[in-house]
Each structure stands twice: as structure tokens, then as C-alpha cells.
């Protein structure tokens, strides 16, 4: 009997592990499939906006497209983050970072919406210490979710106050206070629940899924902090406060590393672009040509490997990961076998922490998650193209 029970337990465990692996694989594929279609749209918008002949109204229309595709990409990321949080698999990479630069970046991201509603924003960042041990991308995500809500729920000509302070010697806090619609007392805890907003009328009037604050609180807790809300009620505005442990005395955030200087002649750099999604391939080839790069395209692992066998080396590899006959990891290994020092960028819809790690281990210099803007792609190329050129000229 005990032997039979042990066998059944082992079988149940194996089935559960198989189901977990299947779920992980499904989420990875879902991430890739959801992120791939917006990718060519963002890059195509950049190409169109570069045409000086476009009229003002058309430029404004392109800005609308750009803004809404970015919001769609953010929603996709939020939904995928929820699954990671539920499974306890959302990883953060802590290092000393300054909070003030994160706030400045969030304000830049919200600048267009702030200007459109004529909001007055005051900022007080007078801190003797503002360094925390945290994941810059994730903490920026928390602050952006809170700031986006403040802008959304504050009427035109309203105000938003951002204050950083130390509520205790070892704690840093950032409060964002708006003059918006406020929050009823019985809804203060509910707004942090997944898929919840204060009431149905808010959903109908303002839209949104109600998951941003839930993710924000989870991320704050992963950093050993807390995200809380307060309000005097409907029509009285609201305050959201993020509290985080300060880094140890004497620890400061490293200064920003400057990008590699622009190449004297970008056209001297040869790029092997590997992408099977036709629309993405076409617009990426166009934007790379417009930046002055010499581009050779491949649509599969096999065609990329044949191209690499040619006599002239490439200075940069830009490759998708999910390819019809294999993986971009195979491509970068073949690339590295011939050009050990050149730069390689993974440009893919697979954006989990494990995906990034595997890309790095296979030989990619950088990992970009789709959809990526033309500006981000240009910056990445500027960072790595000199590696191949230097090796080729040595």
C-alpha cells in the first residue's frame, strides 16, 4: 500500500511539474506573439515622422499612433507581470540607484499628457541621501504607474505635487499628491486588488484595467518597501506614497555610463539582420539603411548560417529568437564562432528573466524586448557597432 501511494504521489508530482512547464512555455509563446505585431508599427511611425514633407495634422496623427501602441505594449507587459507575480517568479536585480533620476525620467514619460491637461507639477527632491538598493526598471515602473494615475484622475488645470523625504533615518519616501477625483475611504485598500478600481463608474469614465497599482504594490514589497494610498474622500484628491529602505551609509549610485560616441561613418558597419516576421523585417531594414548601416537580411537560422559563411565579416548581429527552423541562440553561437568580439543584439518578444539570461549566456551583447522604438534600436547599435569595427580594423 505504501509503495502504491508513493507511486501515485510521484506521478502526481510529475504531472504538476509538466503542467507548470507547459504553462511557462505557453506564457513565453504568448509574450512573443503579443509583442511582435506592435514592433513594426513603432519603427514605421519613426520612419514616417522623419519625412519633413508631412503636414502638421499628419504628424499629430502619427503621435497618436505612437502613444497608443506604447500604451498597448505597457498593458501586455502588465498582464505578463501579473502571471509572474502570481507564480512568485518575478525577479528583480538590485543595485545602488538614485531615486531622483527615476522621478525625472517618469516626468519625461508623462510630459505630453501633463501638457495636454495643463497640469501644474511641483517637485521637491531635496534629499541628503536618495540611494536605494533596487531594480531601476522596476522602481521606475512603480513610479510611472502612480504618476500615470495621478495625471489620469486629475482634471484639466489641476495640480500634482511630488515630494521626496525621509520619514525615518533608514527610509526614503516619495509621495505623489494630486488634486483629482479622490478615493472613498472604503475603497483605499480595494484599489490595490488585481483588476479593481474604486467603482464601475470610474471604469466607464476613465477606462483602464486596474492592475497597475496591484503590480506597483507587489514590486514595492519585493524591494522591502510599501506602496500606500490616502485620501480625504471623493473630490479631495489622493496621495500615493512609496517607501523604500535606503542603501547603507556611504553607498552611492554610480554615475550614468555614457553611450559610445557616434561612429564617424555608420555606413562602415555591416549588420546581419535575422527576422522571420515580414513586416518587422522590412521596416527594420529601412530604418537601419536610413541610419547608414549596410544591412544583409536573413529569415531563418539556416539562411543566417549560410550568410555567415561568406568572406566579408559582419560588425553587428541583430536577431530574433523565435525563428521558423530553430532559435536565434543558434544564430549567435554561429556568429560568435566567426566573430568573437563583434556586437550582437537579441531583438525578441521573449522577455522573461530566463530568456534574457539564456541570450546572454549564448553570446548576445544586449537584449531588447519587442516592441522597441527606433530610438532605442539606434542607441543599442551605437553602443555595440564599434566592437565589430574595432575587431575588423585590428
Amino acid at each position: 500500500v505504501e509503495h502504491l501511494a508513493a507511486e501515485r504521489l510521484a506521478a502526481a508530482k510529475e504531472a504538476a511539474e509538466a503542467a507548470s512547464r507547459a504553462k511557462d512555455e505557453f506564457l513565453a509563446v504568448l509574450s512573443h506573439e503579443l509583442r511582435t505585431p506592435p514592433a513594426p508599427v513603432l519603427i514605421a511611425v519613426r520612419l514616417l515622422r522623419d519625412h519633413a514633407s508631412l503636414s502638421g495634422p499628419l504628424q499629430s496623427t502619427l503621435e497618436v499612433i505612437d502613444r497608443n501602441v506604447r500604451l498597448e505594449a505597457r498593458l501586455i507587459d502588465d498582464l505578463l507581470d501579473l502571471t509572474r507575480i502570481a507564480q512568485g517568479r518575478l525577479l528583480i536585480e538590485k543595485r545602488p540607484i538614485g531615486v531622483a533620476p527615476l522621478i525625472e525620467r517618469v516626468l519625461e514619460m508623462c510630459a505630453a499628457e501633463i501638457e495636454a491637461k495643463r497640469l501644474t507639477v511641483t517637485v521637491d527632491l531635496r534629499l541628503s541621501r536618495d540611494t536605494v538598493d533596487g531594480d531601476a526598471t522596476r522602481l521606475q515602473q512603480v513610479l510611472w504607474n502612480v504618476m500615470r494615475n495621478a495625471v489620469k484622475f486629475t482634471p484639466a488645470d489641476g495640480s500634482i505635487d511630488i515630494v521626496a523625504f525621509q520619514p525615518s533615518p533608514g527610509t526614503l519616501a516619495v509621495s505623489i499628491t494630486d488634486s483629482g477625483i479622490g478615493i472613498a475611504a472604503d475603497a483605499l485598500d480595494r484599489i490595490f486588488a488585481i483588476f479593481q478600481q474604486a467603482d464601475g463608474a470610474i471604469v466607464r469614465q476613465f477606462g483602464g484595467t486596474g492592475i497597475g497599482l496591484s503590480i506597483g504594490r507587489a514590486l514595492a514589497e519585493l524591494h522591502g518597501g510599501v506602496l500606500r494610498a490616502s485620501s480625504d474622500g471623493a473630490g479631495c484628491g489622493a496621495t500615493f506614497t512609496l517607501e523604500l529602505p535606503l542603501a547603507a551609509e556611504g553607498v552611492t549610485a554610480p554615475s550614468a555610463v555614457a553611450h559610445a560616441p557616434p561612429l564617424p561613418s555608420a555606413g562602415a558597419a555591416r549588420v546581419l539582420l535575422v527576422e522571420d516576421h515580414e513586416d518587422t523585417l522590412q521596416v527594420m531594414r529601412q530604418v537601419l539603411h536610413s541610419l547608414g548601416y549596410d544591412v544583409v537580411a536573413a529569415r531563418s537560422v539556416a539562411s543566417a548560417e549560410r550568410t555567415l559563411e561568406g568572406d566579408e565579416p559582419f560588425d553587428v548581429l541583430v536577431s530574433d529568437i523565435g525563428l521558423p527552423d530553430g532559435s536565434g541562440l543558434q544564430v549567435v553561437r554561429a556568429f560568435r564562432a566567426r566573430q568573437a568580439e563583434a556586437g550582437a543584439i537579441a531583438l525578441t518578444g521573449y522577455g522573461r528573466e530566463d530568456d534574457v539570461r539564456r541570450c546572454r549566456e549564448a553570446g548576445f551583447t544586449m537584449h531588447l524586448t519587442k516592441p522597441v522604438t527606433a530610438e532605442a534600436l539606434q542607441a543599442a547599435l551605437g553602443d555595440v557597432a564599434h566592437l565589430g569595427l574595432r575587431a575588423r580594423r585590428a
Side-chain angles (χ1 to χ4, degrees):
V1 175
E2 291 181 1
H3 180 68
L4 181 60
E7 286 184 347
R8 288 176 175 173
L9 182 61
K13 181 182 178 182
E14 184 177 347
E17 291 175 348
S20 178
R21 288 192 298 271
K23 184 188 295 183
D24 288 347
E25 181 62 26
F26 170 77
L27 289 173
V29 173
L30 178 65
S31 168
H32 181 270
E33 294 303 311
L34 288 175
R35 285 177 167 138
T36 295
V41 180
L42 282 179
I43 298 175
V45 166
R46 156 65 186 271
L47 289 171
L48 290 171
R49 291 177 71 177
D50 283 346
H51 282 276
S53 60
L54 290 182
S55 65
L58 285 177
Q59 289 283 359
S60 297
T61 300
L62 290 173
E63 289 176 7
V64 170
I65 295 171
D66 182 82
R67 181 167 61 253
N68 281 277
V69 172
R70 289 174 191 251
L71 288 174
E72 189 74 18
R74 179 70 262 166
L75 176 58
I76 291 169
D77 284 341
D78 282 350
L79 290 171
L80 294 169
D81 281 347
L82 278 181
T83 64
R84 297 187 186 107
I85 291 170
Q87 296 173 350
R89 295 183 178 180
L90 186 64
L91 303 178
I92 58 174
E93 297 183 6
K94 289 186 177 182
R95 55 176 55 89
I97 55 171
V99 172
L102 297 183
I103 296 172
E104 293 170 3
R105 174 59 181 145
V106 167
L107 288 172
E108 291 174 4
M109 294 166 68
C110 297
E113 290 81 4
I114 291 170
E115 182 178 356
K117 297 182 77 171
R118 303 181 303 279
L119 302 178
T120 300
V121 178
T122 61
V123 183
D124 184 354
L125 304 181
R126 291 173 295 179
L127 284 170
S128 59
R129 295 169 59 197
D130 84 328
T131 302
V132 299
D133 288 319
D135 186 313
T137 300
R138 291 304 189 180
L139 288 179
Q140 180 176 293
Q141 182 179 352
V142 177
L143 292 168
W144 182 71
N145 274 328
V146 174
M147 189 65 187
R148 182 179 57 174
N149 271 11
V151 173
K152 179 194 291 188
F153 295 120
T154 301
D157 300 310
S159 63
I160 298 174
D161 298 319
I162 304 172
V163 180
F165 59 99
Q166 286 183 233
S168 66
T171 305
L172 177 146
V174 178
S175 68
I176 298 178
T177 302
D178 64 66
S179 62
I181 64 173
I183 307 170
D186 61 354
L188 282 173
D189 285 332
R190 194 168 70 245
I191 60 173
F192 289 103
I194 294 176
F195 305 119
Q196 291 287 333
Q197 289 183 328
D199 57 50
I202 289 179
V203 176
R204 291 189 294 272
Q205 182 178 356
F206 295 97
T209 61
I211 63 176
L213 292 177
S214 175
I215 293 172
R217 172 168 277 188
L219 290 173
E221 291 172 353
L222 284 172
H223 283 83
V226 64
L227 177 64
R228 57 171 61 95
S230 62
S231 174
D232 290 332
C236 297
T239 297
F240 286 83
T241 303
L242 171 65
E243 291 188 9
L244 298 167
L246 279 164
E249 285 275 7
V251 175
T252 57
S255 57
V257 178
H259 286 305
L263 295 171
S265 174
R270 297 186 77 231
V271 177
L272 174 58
L273 173 62
V274 187
E275 173 62 64
D276 66 312
H277 188 259
E278 187 62 28
D279 292 340
T280 303
L281 178 68
Q282 293 304 326
V283 295
M284 283 188 59
R285 182 155 49 187
Q286 289 180 54
V287 78
L288 292 177
H289 277 309
S290 73
L291 294 172
Y293 292 94
D294 178 15
V295 183
V296 176
R299 293 172 172 80
S300 66
V301 173
S303 61
E305 290 178 339
R306 286 194 299 270
T307 304
L308 286 169
E309 291 172 357
D311 294 333
E312 191 170 356
F314 289 92
D315 303 300
V316 185
L317 168 69
V318 179
S319 180
D320 192 6
I321 299 301
L323 296 168
D325 59 341
S327 168
L329 303 182
Q330 297 168 256
V331 176
V332 75
R333 291 186 187 108
F335 180 72
R336 284 278 169 252
R338 294 165 176 79
Q339 293 147 263
E341 302 300 325
I345 300 172
L347 181 58
T348 173
Y350 294 108
R352 300 175 304 168
E353 288 81 1
D354 283 349
D355 299 321
V356 177
R357 176 183 54 78
R358 281 194 290 268
C359 284
R360 294 281 191 178
E361 290 175 352
F364 281 106
T365 315
M366 300 181 69
H367 180 286
L368 299 179
T369 304
K370 294 178 180 176
V372 65
T373 64
E375 292 80 7
L377 178 60
Q378 181 177 3
L381 284 164
D383 280 347
V384 304
H386 67 287
L387 298 174
L389 284 172
R390 184 187 303 150
R392 185 145 56 98
R393 293 168 180 169

